[in-house]
Amino acid sequence: MFSKTCEYAIKAVLYIATQSLNNIRVKIGDVAENTGSPEAFTAKILSTLTKHKLLHSIKGPYGGFEIEEKKMKQIKISEIVYAIDGDAIYNGCGLGLNKCNAAKPCPMHDKFIKVRSELKKMLETTTVHELATKVKAGKSILIRN
Amino acid sequence: MFSKTCEYAIKAVLYIATQSLNNIRVKIGDVAENTGSPEAFTAKILSTLTKHKLLHSIKGPYGGFEIEEKKMKQIKISEIVYAIDGDAIYNGCGLGLNKCNAAKPCPMHDKFIKVRSELKKMLETTTVHELATKVKAGKSILIRN
DNA sequence: CTTATTTAAGATATTTTTATCCGAAATAAA
DNA sequence: TTTATTTCGGATAAAAATATCTTAAATAAG
Ligand code: SF4
Ligand code: SF4
């Protein structure tokens, strides 16, 4: 469904958001540890997310990552997926034809479009804040030990 | 969504099925050419599909691949996906947690499960015959030139 | 039986994805 | 100013996915 990189990215954002809800700024090591992701690779991902303005980073001692509560209410999961995996999941086709054409589509078109648009809608209507709140309340987890 | 290998596999099966509807047996080269897939790689994929009994292969001169009409009415697209990509798309989780647990799920669980089960249902209710018929009737295509 | 044709299977190569490493830049505190 | 801490950015490395090549096995036809 998503690339591994994208899974790490979603978990990382949700972990940072959850901690930000408690006004705790977190370091790369914390994120890696609490999402079950490799640390150096997590650094790369967080850097990408920061460039896309999905996270706020602070360098130096007592630095780390955080997300304002206002921001996490705005950011949708779709934006994280887009920043990492690009638009393939939104615009790419099920059978990978070079170009799409509704007049003469691939034979799975109708059925495929239906499922894909539901996925898209789901990602576009789910906010980081909504999910982070669930994690904070202990209703769900980001890592299984 | 699917691996590239899986996309090739679906297109290959549909091409072979479409030709079988006209009682034409096809060779690897034909399949590759008419699905826009690399030939040697297509050979590997067809071999896998044959082992999974999703295709019938005949060696030697005048040989090639075919699917009985009876068979193509039975085979669902889900079976092709399963043969190539395994059960990740059916049982894997959106965030890639090691194990799933409905009691303490990942925060996307509910929404994710909904979309995934629709995808699963779609694949499990679409037969090869249904799609091959569409292609045969010229209503859809497998390759864009 | 011999030859030509075709799939099967294993070895190898290339590309992409995932992951690590290391030095630079920023910055807070002593 | 110096030091310790932390992110940033570029260079590599390892693993997985995708793709090719080469030889073997099967078989139809002459
Ligand atoms: S025809 Fe439809 S389903 Fe097929 S590749 Fe194009 S957009 Fe996707
Ligand atoms: S909790 Fe649900 S959505 Fe999350 S990984 Fe498990 S099955 Fe998938």
Side-chain angles (χ1 to χ4, degrees), chain B residues 92-97 99-101 105-106 108-109 112-113 116:
Chain B
C93 105
L95 298 187
L97 295 197
K99 292 177 174 188
C100 251
N101 180 334
C106 81
M108 295 194 68
H109 183 83
F112 187 74
I113 284 296
R116 196 183 68 185

Side-chain angles (χ1 to χ4, degrees), chain A residues 10-138:
Chain A
I10 296 172
K11 285 191 280 192
V13 169
L14 293 180
Y15 176 70
I16 294 165
T18 304
Q19 294 305 103
S20 284
L21 284 176
N22 294 322
N23 288 303
I24 296 170
R25 184 180 291 169
V26 296
K27 291 178 284 189
I28 291 172
D30 297 330
V31 176
E33 193 177 342
N34 289 284
T35 58
S37 312
E39 181 163 335
F41 195 47
T42 299
K44 277 274 179 300
I45 296 168
L46 294 184
S47 197
T48 302
L49 293 169
T50 301
K51 270 184 212 144
H52 279 81
K53 314 265 186 192
L54 299 174
L55 292 177
H56 179 216
S57 74
I58 300 100
K59 280 184 190 168
Y62 298 87
F65 295 86
E66 58 188 26
I67 312 180
E68 291 171 69
E69 198 160 343
K70 184 185 163 194
K71 201 95 203 290
M72 67 176 92
K73 283 180 180 167
Q74 293 168 348
I75 299 176
K76 315 295 186 303
I77 301 299
S78 60
E79 296 174 65
I80 303 170
V81 175
Y82 185 82
I84 303 292
D85 283 350
D87 69 348
I89 204 167
Y90 303 120
N91 300 321
C93 106
L95 298 186
L97 295 197
N98 318 18
K99 292 178 175 188
C100 251
N101 179 335
K104 260 208 174 181
C106 81
M108 294 194 69
H109 182 83
D110 296 344
K111 298 180 178 209
F112 188 75
I113 286 297
K114 190 160 165 288
V115 172
R116 196 184 68 186
S117 69
E118 293 219 24
L119 170 62
K120 188 162 177 270
K121 192 177 156 193
M122 184 271 271
L123 296 173
E124 285 175 348
T125 56
T126 304
T127 67
V128 168
H129 182 265
E130 175 191 344
L131 299 187
T133 303
K134 276 197 211 178
V135 176
K136 188 187 173 191

